[in-house]
Amino acid sequence: EPEVTQTPSHQVTQMGQEVILRCVPISNHLYFYWYRQILGQKVEFLVSFYNNEISEKSEIFDDQFSVERPDGSNFTLKIRSTKLEDSAMYFCASSERGALEQFFGPGTRLTVL
Amino acid sequence: RKEVEQDPGPFNVPEGATVAFNCTYSNSASQSFFWYRQDCRKEPKLLMSVYSSGNEDGRFTAQLNRASQYISLLIRDSKLSDSATYLCVVNNQGGKLIFGQGTELSVKP
C-alpha cells in the first residue's frame, strides 16, 4: 500500500539554525500539506501546496517558513531560523484532490535547544 | 467557540463495550468530515470519512448531522487494539483540515 514517507524521524537543532524537513508524498497525489503538533496539543495546519504553489497557509506559517517541491517526488519544509517554540512533531500529508482524505507520514520530531 | 470540539475524555471501557464519541463543528460551510485515530506519538491515521447518510465499516459507525453541525462515531464490541486517541476532523474549503483536540479511549481487558 502506498504511503507518505518523511525524513529524518528526529531532528535536534540549536536555536537560530536552519532545518529542512523532507517528505515523499504518495506518487499519484497532487495536493501536499504540512501540519504540526506540539506535545499534548492538537494537530495544526501549516500550509497546503498544489500545482507548485502555496494554496493556503496559516498564521503560524510566517516568513521563517517555506515549502518547496524541488523535484517530482520530494516536498520540503524549511524553517530558516528555528525558535524554541518550533519544537513539535511535523507531519506531511497528501491527497488526490483538495477535499478528499489526506494521508499522513510518520512525522519528524523537531527539538530546538 | 472552538472550530471543532470533542468530548474531553478519557474514556475507559472494558473489552466488548460500545463507546460513542461526539463532535461539533462551528463552520456551517464545512464540506468534508473524517474520523482519524492517533496512537501515542504517531501520525493521525484515517479511520473513516463521514457522509450525510451515515456510514458503517465493520464495528465502526459514523453519523453526520449538518443541521446540528454534529458528528459522531460509534465503536461496537471494542477491542484492546482500539485504544488510541480519536480525532474529529473537518475540511472547510480546499484542503485545510481542522482537528479537534481528540478523545482518548482506553479499552481494558
Side-chain angles (χ1 to χ4, degrees):
Chain A
E1 186 177 317
E3 56 184 24
V4 177
T5 59
Q6 289 186 244
T7 52
S9 57
H10 192 188
Q11 173 91 47
V12 181
T13 190
Q14 295 289 328
M15 195 168 56
Q17 294 296 304
E18 175 183 286
V19 294
I20 298 176
L21 311 183
R22 301 179 195 281
C23 167
V24 179
I26 295 172
S27 61
N28 64 330
H29 286 186
L30 301 177
Y31 292 78
F32 315 117
Y33 313 88
W34 284 100
Y35 294 83
R36 79 169 187 192
Q37 187 174 31
I38 295 170
L39 190 63
Q41 297 187 22
K42 65 179 182 177
V43 177
E44 301 173 287
F45 169 80
L46 290 177
V47 65
S48 58
F49 191 87
Y50 169 71
N51 201 25
N52 278 321
E53 59 183 27
I54 290 173
S55 40
E56 188 174 359
K57 59 184 180 179
S58 71
E59 291 173 356
I60 304 166
F61 195 89
D62 62 21
D63 292 345
Q64 293 302 311
F65 290 86
S66 62
V67 288
E68 196 177 32
R69 188 151 162 83
D71 53 44
S73 58
N74 288 285
F75 179 51
T76 62
L77 174 70
K78 183 195 288 188
I79 309 175
R80 257 180 278 283
S81 177
T82 49
K83 306 184 187 69
L84 296 176
E85 55 265 37
D86 293 328
S87 294
M89 194 75 160
Y90 288 81
F91 294 110
C92 173
S94 69
S95 66
E96 281 186 64
R97 292 206 315 268
L100 291 186
E101 299 91 346
Q102 294 179 22
F103 296 90
F104 285 74
T108 293
R109 179 166 302 282
L110 177 65
T111 302
V112 183
L113 303 175
Chain B
R1 184 181 172 184
K2 289 181 187 172
E3 289 184 280
V4 179
E5 196 149 7
Q6 296 186 238
D7 292 331
F11 288 8
N12 296 299
V13 303
E15 263 186 299
T18 295
V19 59
F21 300 109
N22 301 309
C23 171
T24 56
Y25 59 95
S26 61
N27 188 340
S28 59
S30 298
Q31 294 185 333
S32 324
F33 310 89
F34 310 95
W35 284 101
Y36 281 75
R37 69 170 275 168
Q38 186 174 31
D39 293 285
C40 190
R41 296 182 173 241
K42 301 281 191 185
E43 76 273 25
K45 284 199 159 95
L46 179 68
L47 187 62
M48 56 200 302
S49 303
V50 189
Y51 305 116
S52 297
S53 53
N55 47 303
E56 189 174 309
D57 182 2
R59 298 182 293 109
F60 300 84
T61 301
Q63 298 276 355
L64 167 65
N65 184 322
R66 283 188 185 268
S68 306
Q69 294 175 209
Y70 168 82
I71 309 162
S72 66
L73 175 70
L74 188 77
I75 305 176
R76 288 182 299 279
D77 188 23
S78 50
K79 313 284 185 200
L80 296 177
S81 56
D82 293 334
S83 297
T85 296
Y86 288 81
L87 307 173
C88 177
V89 184
V90 170
N91 183 333
N92 285 344
Q93 283 178 339
K96 173 184 171 182
L97 293 183
I98 300 170
F99 285 76
Q101 187 73 19
T103 303
E104 186 182 341
L105 171 67
S106 181
V107 182
K108 306 288 188 191

